Amino acid sequence: PKGTKEWTAEEKAECMECFKKFDADGNGHIDAKEVRDVLVELGEKDVPGYRVRELIEEVDTNKNGTIEFDEFLYIVEQCRSGKESGFGSVVQKAGKMNVLGGSTASSAAGTAHSYSDDEAMAFSDWINYVLEKDPELAKVLPLREGTDDLFTKSHDGILFCKLINDAVPETIDERALNKKARHPVEISENQTLMLNSARAIGCNVVNIDAEDMKRGTPHLVLGLVWQIVKIGLFARINLANVPGLARLLQGDETLEDLMALPVEQILLRWMNYHLGNAGSQLRVSNFGKDIKDSEAYTVVINQIAPPGSGTSTAPMQISDPAKRAEGMLQEADKIDCRKFVRPNDVVKGNQKLNLAFVANMFNMHPGLEAVEIEVIEETREEKTYRNWMNSLGVNPFVNNLYQDLRDGLVLIQLFDKIQPGIVDWERRVNQPPFKKMGGNMKKLENCNYALELGKQMKFS
């Protein structure tokens, strides 16, 4: 269906996170089983088939029996405009979302946004953990659970400047900060420096300005904090820091092939590597449904734990999923890795927080014996181009300058951002997912169109 709303890249990314809560297998659509699974997780013990079918039929305008992302966007638009909907109410409950009416100056007027309490708690806990020893934040930290501290105590820009420097050291020269800022002009200077620095490390700060951050607008604050945290976690996952990553090579892959994979795929491969070494038959292909039972986590934690840590696989004997998740997290705590997720986040399969949980475990205890290799590091120019693309909000996030541009979509998005309206999205652009049969041809068509756009704009 075609709604009337023009979605920004930020809003689409926010909706995609919620869409993924339903799309457990990541195949791009929500089927009846996935809807039923979500209903069960929300506390509905006995979900009849007709109820699931009714919910899907309410949204499924093309009548193919599943819900695609454009249909999902339409129902979210209906919810935000105040129209009640059976499936819409499920969407709101699924993310334990807080819905905020109205928006700030740099956002589109009259819209509604949402944020997750679970994510606010997880990010607050992480900030407390990584910045607790900074004496200049003694009056700010810890951020208290169940409060608005994350949104109010960051109003002067200093907290997030410190977080950026933790993610990518020496990004900000702290001598440039107004550390005793009281006047609105001084606070705005800090926030502007913070936003420019976030953009420099690859964050998308489109539609965010200093006033938004001073007000502590929740959905904007959480979105920015997640980007900073993710960039910091992912920055350490490379061959220079962990030469043992070479042990994850499969078949005739080269190191370049391996490091061209999205970081999420590398982390899944890392988990499967340790599951295999532990003699387990378990394997994971996502950070949603495959980890909900905590079993894969329990095995991996026990496998990567340093000698003498006292970990075990005892939680696997617990029958209740929530209690098993708590037992698993107690094992993670023994190796200082109880971060980002709570039992409920594991059981519900919160993909964002589980991804952060695994990335932090990798950084703390990769458990990969070093291999003698020649590491070809990313050049400064390559990193600069990548960060520039990501700062403009391209989707997907560019982790590898070469591999992630092969389907042409990022290049086409860049042309559209440089000269809005130049791209014919309806007739000329092939969107993912790309099928195995004919998919490469669709990508080639995109690349040819990108070259055509470059010529129109006289770039060559």
Side-chain angles (χ1 to χ4, degrees), residues 44-63:
E44 298 195 23
K45 302 299 182 184
D46 184 19
V47 185
Y50 75 84
R51 171 159 161 69
V52 175
R53 288 193 296 273
E54 285 176 353
L55 287 171
I56 290 179
E57 287 170 4
E58 176 187 317
V59 188
D60 182 25
T61 56
N62 63 5
K63 306 303 179 186

Side-chain angles (χ1 to χ4, degrees), residues 36 41 47 66 70 72 93 146 160 171 178 195 238 251 264 268 278 316 319 329 341 349 361 413 444:
R36 186 182 185 282
E41 288 170 9
V47 185
T66 61
D70 60 341
F72 189 84
K93 291 177 184 177
F160 290 165
T171 299
N178 298 304
L195 289 171
N238 56 57
E264 292 87 343
L268 289 170
M316 295 178 71
S319 58
L329 289 173
V341 294
M361 276 204 300
Q413 290 175 62
L444 183 60

Side-chain angles (χ1 to χ4, degrees), residues 72-85:
F72 189 84
L73 282 177
Y74 180 74
I75 204 66
V76 171
E77 179 181 346
Q78 297 299 299
C79 289
R80 290 182 173 180
S81 66
K83 295 181 181 178
E84 292 190 3
S85 156

